[in-house]
Amino acid sequence: MHGIHLISNGRLTEQHMQLVSEQIAQINYIHLREKTKTAKEILEMIDFLLEAGVPAERIIINDRVDVASIKKCCGVQLAYHSIPVADVKRSFPALRIGKSVHSLEEAITAEHNGADFLIYGHIFSSNSKPGLEPRGITALADVTKNVSIPVIAIGGITEQNMNQVQEVGASGVAIMSGVWDAEDPTEAIKCYRQVFDSRKEEQFE
Amino acid sequence: MHGIHLISNGRLTEQHMQLVSEQIAQINYIHLREKTKTAKEILEMIDFLLEAGVPAERIIINDRVDVASIKKCCGVQLAYHSIPVADVKRSFPALRIGKSVHSLEEAITAEHNGADFLIYGHIFSSNSKPGLEPRGITALADVTKNVSIPVIAIGGITEQNMNQVQEVGASGVAIMSGVWDAEDPTEAIKCYRQVFDSRKEEQFE
């Protein structure tokens, strides 16, 4: 589950989905996180992506386990208000389970309950969470050291600070406003990819 | 799926759930239709009912197929905005599928797609749908004649008009405000049961 997770911003348009399908080689996973949309609408978005050539194993659905299961998506991203990890694990063994966590304790519990990966944040201050104190790099390092499943860092990740989260053990980054609010989202995706891979190459040198 | 379906009103309290568990012998199914609640909250409501002695095979969950499946509930009630009937049928064969329909055409399609029962309405004017023209008894008769799965009538069903919907072939009635807005909900449930059964006895005489 390593790499770049692009998270939809709740207002995903056809134009955005077209962009995702064109740039799917640059990102690793697209998360449909459209909280106000109905099950029917999310299914239609998945169909759009599949028809545009996005493989189901690259699509992660926020909260709606039933929708992810029916479309044989890669997995689900569960929040505090979602079905508990252990229940999903037992009843939907084919799905990869991501859990959104905000503390070391939550991270350890989620791993214990069977989560396949974690999204932890927010790391830096971000437009998506204005006014909330970011958790910072040291807390992220503490999480990656204490769990063995992949940790994806979220919150204010830019091309400038991405390598920092990779250095402390994050397996991936979750990007929202960094792409959707960019003047040129296509260029932003390419830039994130390049910076992400540069660190990977460094590790293998 | 015949009988009395009690539908929650989106504001179900612990006191209401206590009432349901005490009166479960009087009703056939309780539908949890709590549209603004999260998956976690609905799961907690189901746990409350199960612990209070309501059997899972009497509980129907609105829209959230995943929640119904995890708790091995009787089934799901699907609306226009839900996952399509055929998808649920294929992926969740253990669940009974109710579909909410508003025309003969929708009823026939839902049966064709594998629905196990229909909720059709609204039949009479009701507090839940103020200002909307009710469909009436003749339209209900048209639906029950043209499908072979059970049709549950919804909308403004009272102790006074319940036998009318049974006479034109409705297998059951769905009640919401008739119980929740009653001065004495326990008495209302008993009264609905008595009137419903009186018609059944008539049929068997």
Side-chain angles (χ1 to χ4, degrees):
Chain A
M1 302 303 300
H2 84 285
I4 296 175
H5 293 237
L6 180 60
I7 318 282
S8 79
N9 61 358
R11 305 180 300 276
L12 212 68
T13 62
E14 278 203 10
Q15 203 183 345
H16 290 139
M17 290 195 286
Q18 195 57 47
L19 172 79
V20 168
S21 69
E22 284 161 13
Q23 298 301 320
I24 193 64
Q26 307 290 329
I27 60 174
N28 297 86
Y29 299 97
I30 168 74
H31 288 235
L32 292 183
R33 180 175 177 277
E34 300 287 309
K35 295 184 177 189
T36 63
K37 292 210 169 72
T38 66
K40 185 170 185 285
E41 288 168 332
I42 301 168
L43 286 168
E44 286 164 359
M45 294 178 78
I46 299 171
D47 284 338
F48 184 102
L49 290 173
L50 294 174
E51 279 162 33
V54 177
E57 56 265 32
R58 303 284 203 94
I59 303 173
I60 294 172
I61 304 301
N62 191 74
D63 190 61
R64 290 292 305 228
V65 182
D66 41 11
V67 169
S69 171
I70 278 169
K71 289 294 173 186
K72 299 188 182 359
C73 292
C74 167
V76 285
Q77 186 65 34
L78 304 174
Y80 170 76
H81 58 79
S82 300
I83 300 173
V85 170
D87 288 325
V88 178
K89 191 83 179 174
R90 193 170 43 243
S91 297
F92 298 86
L95 293 174
R96 307 300 299 270
I97 304 171
K99 182 75 197 277
S100 300
V101 295
H102 305 92
S103 69
L104 176 58
E105 198 188 345
E106 283 180 17
I108 291 170
T109 303
E111 177 175 41
H112 175 80
N113 290 339
D116 295 299
F117 65 97
L118 304 174
I119 294 187
Y120 174 78
H122 59 292
I123 308 300
F124 305 108
S125 29
S126 111
N127 290 340
S128 311
K129 304 265 183 192
L132 260 184
E133 184 69 28
R135 294 172 200 282
I137 281 286
T138 316
L140 171 63
D142 211 23
V143 171
T144 63
K145 260 182 237 142
N146 285 284
V147 299
S148 55
I149 52 177
V151 177
I152 314 302
I154 195 169
I157 312 281
T158 63
E159 294 88 338
Q160 285 74 44
N161 63 29
M162 196 191 319
N163 287 165
Q164 287 181 51
V165 306
Q166 292 173 279
E167 271 159 36
V168 298
S171 304
V173 291
I175 313 285
M176 195 172 345
S177 54
V179 164
W180 306 118
D181 295 353
E183 266 186 52
D184 184 340
T186 304
E187 206 44 51
I189 289 173
K190 283 181 186 161
C191 192
Y192 274 113
R193 179 83 260 163
Q194 201 171 13
V195 176
F196 188 88
D197 289 349
S198 72
R199 164 74 196 170
K200 229 171 46 185
E201 281 157 24
E202 235 173 78
Q203 288 179 302
F204 289 112
E205 268 169 13
Chain B
M1 300 305 299
H2 83 286
I4 296 175
H5 293 236
L6 180 60
I7 318 281
S8 80
N9 61 358
R11 306 181 298 276
L12 212 66
T13 62
E14 277 202 11
Q15 203 183 346
H16 290 140
M17 291 195 287
Q18 195 58 44
L19 173 79
V20 168
S21 69
E22 283 161 14
Q23 298 302 320
I24 193 65
Q26 307 290 330
I27 60 173
N28 298 85
Y29 299 98
I30 168 74
H31 287 235
L32 292 183
R33 181 176 176 275
E34 299 287 309
K35 295 184 178 192
T36 62
K37 291 210 170 73
T38 65
K40 186 169 185 283
E41 287 167 333
I42 301 167
L43 286 168
E44 285 163 0
M45 294 177 80
I46 299 170
D47 284 337
F48 184 102
L49 291 173
L50 294 175
E51 278 162 34
V54 177
E57 55 266 31
R58 303 284 203 95
I59 303 174
I60 293 172
I61 305 300
N62 190 74
D63 189 62
R64 290 292 306 228
V65 182
D66 41 11
V67 169
S69 171
I70 277 169
K71 288 292 172 188
K72 299 188 181 1
C73 292
C74 167
V76 284
Q77 186 65 33
L78 304 174
Y80 170 76
H81 58 78
S82 301
I83 299 173
V85 170
D87 287 325
V88 178
K89 191 84 178 172
R90 193 170 44 244
S91 298
F92 298 87
L95 293 173
R96 308 299 299 269
I97 303 172
K99 181 77 199 271
S100 299
V101 296
H102 305 92
S103 71
L104 176 58
E105 197 189 345
E106 283 179 15
I108 291 170
T109 304
E111 177 176 40
H112 175 79
N113 290 340
D116 295 299
F117 65 98
L118 303 174
I119 294 187
Y120 174 79
H122 59 290
I123 309 300
F124 305 108
S125 31
S126 112
N127 291 341
S128 312
K129 304 266 184 193
L132 261 183
E133 184 68 28
R135 295 173 199 282
I137 282 286
T138 316
L140 171 63
D142 211 23
V143 171
T144 63
K145 262 182 235 142
N146 286 283
V147 300
S148 55
I149 52 177
V151 177
I152 313 302
I154 194 168
I157 312 283
T158 63
E159 294 88 338
Q160 286 73 44
N161 63 29
M162 196 189 323
N163 287 165
Q164 289 180 51
V165 306
Q166 293 174 280
E167 271 158 35
V168 298
S171 304
V173 292
I175 313 286
M176 195 172 348
S177 54
V179 165
W180 306 120
D181 296 352
E183 264 185 55
D184 184 339
T186 303
E187 208 42 54
I189 289 173
K190 283 181 185 161
C191 192
Y192 274 113
R193 179 83 260 163
Q194 202 171 14
V195 178
F196 188 88
D197 288 349
S198 71
R199 165 74 197 169
K200 229 170 46 182
E201 281 156 23
E202 235 173 78
Q203 287 178 305
F204 289 112
E205 267 169 13

